[in-house]
Amino acid sequence: MFHPISAGFVAAISGFASSFALVIAGLAAVGASPGEASSGLFAVCLAVAITNIVAAVWLRIPLAFAWSTPGAAVLLATANDGIRFSDAVGAFLVCAALLLLSGLWPALGRAITSIPKPLASAMLAGVLLPICLAPIEAVATLPLLAAPIVIVWLVLYRLAPRWAVPAAMVVAVMSIVIAAGTDWVSASVAPQLTFVAPTFDLFTILSVGLPLFVVTMAGQNVPGFVVMSTNGYAAPPRFALVASGIGSGAANLFGGHAINLGAITAAIMAGPESHPDRDKRWVATLTNGILYVPLGLAAGLAGALVAAAPSILITAVAGLAVMGALISSVVNALDDPRHRLAAILTFLVVASGIVVVGIGSAFWGLLVGAAVMAWLGWSRRETV
């Protein structure tokens, strides 16, 4: 049983180290205080832990859950001083309700996953672009601190891609200690869950909640099902979506954003390197879930670290973490020549970061892209 246990360990450590800073930065971008952001990270860790343990024991397949990394990028990209965190939590709960409803009402899930791939991918690419520019800005403004992070990431991206971002995070921690000393360690880093009473604002739901739902479904859940089927497992959609909806909703009340099916980490646990015997790979997911409990207990320390760091340095690490997602999104957005104009316009509107009548650019990008795609499709039909 050593191999699946080690696979679960690698997936947990690499998954946490790769994007915990992005989660905290994303929550802070939508109004969370440092304590609320740490609570949100702790909450999604516990949600991932419980859903993974239950799924492993109940289903005996390596069905793995993770927090929504693209969703955290959505939060960071919609940074707006006018957003109250209670409104953001209300938008998170709308996303969780839609995830739950997608499991209970399959037609909704099919409708969301049938959003044209060029538009969904272009929206995600537009969200990720400003974040992926941060490493360049960081090297330009803080070269002595940022350049080693980027160099280590680039070297390991060639030699050991799985560890590129975690290693970059280790170098970032060293850079933060050099820049800020160790006074941040003396701050209160005990893990705690802080209840956040949700409020519901229509504009925040449209700017944050709906884009969070779309990227969580299209950018995480769909690839998660593909990973499972590629490795010979029939992942039950209802269980997966209902579990992610309930887990997300529970985490939302303590500041967490969303959980969903894992993709990259799931591939580590569901693939043959986890165990030659497919029937024993579920142990990897069980191990992963158990390890997320102590990782969650480090949320206070992680939050203090992020709070002590120059913000551009944290965003730079986040940009490295989602670079692969940006590449995949751009490729998928432009794959079909018929829809490249609609995809590019979606990408440009989202990347612009515009806010119109209080609604963020992700919503408007999808709307513009859909309108252009419909118009061009109608024109072609009329001219045939």
Side-chain angles (χ1 to χ4, degrees):
M1 284 295 181
F2 172 75
H3 289 295
I5 291 174
S6 64
F9 179 86
V10 168
I13 297 300
S14 61
F16 183 90
S18 295
S19 55
F20 77 85
L22 177 58
V23 172
I24 292 176
L27 293 173
V30 290
S33 67
E36 289 169 333
S38 296
S39 173
L41 178 62
F42 189 15
V44 290
C45 283
L46 292 180
V48 168
I50 293 171
T51 50
N52 277 351
I53 291 170
V54 171
V57 173
W58 185 266
L59 300 174
R60 297 296 174 116
I61 61 174
L63 185 71
F65 293 84
W67 61 53
S68 177
T69 299
V74 168
L75 306 186
L76 187 56
T78 55
N80 187 332
D81 292 338
I83 295 181
R84 297 184 304 170
F85 191 53
S86 61
D87 289 341
V89 169
F92 299 166
L93 282 168
V94 171
C95 173
L98 291 172
L99 288 170
L100 177 61
L101 188 58
S102 296
L104 298 176
W105 184 27
L108 176 60
R110 288 193 297 270
I112 295 300
T113 55
S114 66
I115 290 177
K117 184 172 70 172
L119 298 188
S121 298
M123 184 191 78
L124 182 55
V127 165
L128 296 177
L129 177 64
I131 301 170
C132 290
L133 291 175
I136 302 171
E137 183 181 349
V139 171
T141 56
L142 299 171
L144 294 180
L145 296 179
I149 299 172
V150 176
I151 291 171
V152 167
W153 171 80
L154 189 58
V155 170
L156 286 182
Y157 194 86
R158 169 66 177 84
L159 301 176
R162 183 180 298 171
W163 295 104
V165 176
M169 190 67 237
V170 171
V171 177
V173 171
M174 297 170 61
S175 298
I176 292 166
V177 171
I178 292 172
T182 57
D183 291 343
W184 59 272
V185 180
S186 63
S188 175
V189 295
Q192 59 180 356
L193 294 175
T194 303
F195 175 75
V196 181
T199 54
F200 297 91
D201 174 74
L202 178 61
F203 295 148
T204 306
I205 290 170
L206 294 176
S207 298
V208 177
L210 291 184
L212 177 61
F213 173 60
V214 171
V215 301
T216 296
M217 286 291 290
Q220 289 283 156
N221 281 333
V222 172
F225 284 119
V226 171
V227 166
M228 293 299 291
S229 62
T230 299
N231 287 283
Y233 298 98
R238 174 163 293 188
F239 179 95
L241 294 174
V242 168
S244 61
I246 293 174
S248 295
N252 297 158
L253 296 176
F254 301 96
H257 62 305
I259 68 168
N260 43 235
L261 286 181
I264 296 175
T265 54
I268 297 172
M269 294 180 281
E273 65 273 13
S274 175
H275 198 285
D277 186 348
R278 292 176 55 256
D279 294 333
K280 294 181 179 179
R281 295 175 194 169
W282 65 272
V283 175
T285 305
L286 177 63
T287 303
N288 183 272
I290 293 171
L291 283 174
Y292 260 94
V293 175
L295 288 174
L297 294 175
L301 183 64
L305 173 71
V306 172
S311 60
I312 186 60
L313 210 58
I314 294 301
T315 309
V317 177
L320 297 177
V322 297
M323 194 70 71
L326 175 63
I327 294 169
S328 299
S329 298
V330 171
V331 170
N332 290 332
L334 301 179
D335 184 53
D336 189 340
R338 297 173 302 169
H339 303 308
R340 284 177 181 166
L341 178 60
I344 284 295
L345 290 175
T346 300
F347 168 77
L348 291 174
V349 172
V350 175
S352 72
I354 62 168
V355 177
V356 180
V357 296
I359 302 173
S361 61
F363 174 83
W364 295 115
L366 273 181
L367 191 64
V368 168
V372 171
M373 182 176 285
W375 166 251
L376 293 180
W378 174 81
S379 297
R380 290 193 184 98
R381 286 193 298 271
E382 289 297 301
T383 57
V384 170

